[in-house]
Each structure stands twice: as C-alpha cells, then as structure tokens.
Amino acid sequence: MNQQRTIIIKDYKGDVFYEYTGSFSYKMSGRKVDLTDNKTGNKISVYMGDNDTFIVTDSGIKGEKK
C-alpha cells in the first residue's frame, strides 16, 4: 500500500508525454495502461503509440530507512 512508484511514458523521440508519481498499482493490456491510485482509488487510463516507451521505477516504501 505504501510502495512509491514513478511511471514515465516517452514518445518515439524520447520526449516525456506522461509522468505520475505516488502509490499506485498498474495493469498493462496491449497499448493501454490502467493505473489505480492506492490511496484515493482514482483510476487513470493511458494509451500509448507504437513506438512509445513505458518505464516504472519502484522507489521504496514511504517512511522506510535507506
């Protein structure tokens, strides 16, 4: 629930066209990515093009010592 992540989606030129940071889960189906915010329950759908890049980085658990 407290897992912090960042999602970045870049186009074929390498330009970022979507970025989201927080505690969320995601499901990828074809060219569609469904995000669900773990705290609010809000859902977001992002559609990617043929040559887009999808990057998810797990940055640890909020409040965890490094």
Side-chain angles (χ1 to χ4, degrees), residues 5 10 14 24 26 29 31 33 35 37 49 53 55 57 60-62:
R5 295 182 169 137
K10 296 182 177 187
F24 62 89
Y26 66 95
S29 176
R31 299 190 195 290
V33 180
L35 303 171
D37 188 294
T53 303
I55 304 164
T57 305
I61 297 174
K62 187 174 183 180

Side-chain angles (χ1 to χ4, degrees), residues 37-51:
D37 188 294
N38 291 334
K39 294 181 181 178
T40 65
N42 292 340
K43 296 182 181 183
I44 303 165
S45 294
V46 181
Y47 295 88
M48 301 185 307
D50 291 336
N51 296 313

Side-chain angles (χ1 to χ4, degrees), residues 1-59:
M1 184 82 164
N2 291 325
Q3 177 68 41
Q4 293 294 302
R5 295 182 169 137
T6 299
I7 180 176
I8 298 172
I9 301 177
K10 296 182 177 187
D11 65 14
Y12 72 97
K13 294 179 186 177
D15 298 328
V16 174
F17 75 85
Y18 186 79
E19 185 170 354
Y20 186 79
T21 300
S23 179
F24 62 89
S25 58
Y26 66 95
K27 180 181 175 185
M28 193 165 180
S29 176
R31 299 190 195 290
K32 178 180 161 190
V33 180
D34 293 317
L35 303 171
T36 303
D37 188 294
N38 291 334
K39 294 181 181 178
T40 65
N42 292 340
K43 296 182 181 183
I44 303 165
S45 294
V46 181
Y47 295 88
M48 301 185 307
D50 291 336
N51 296 313
D52 293 342
T53 303
F54 173 79
I55 304 164
V56 175
T57 305
D58 289 338
S59 52

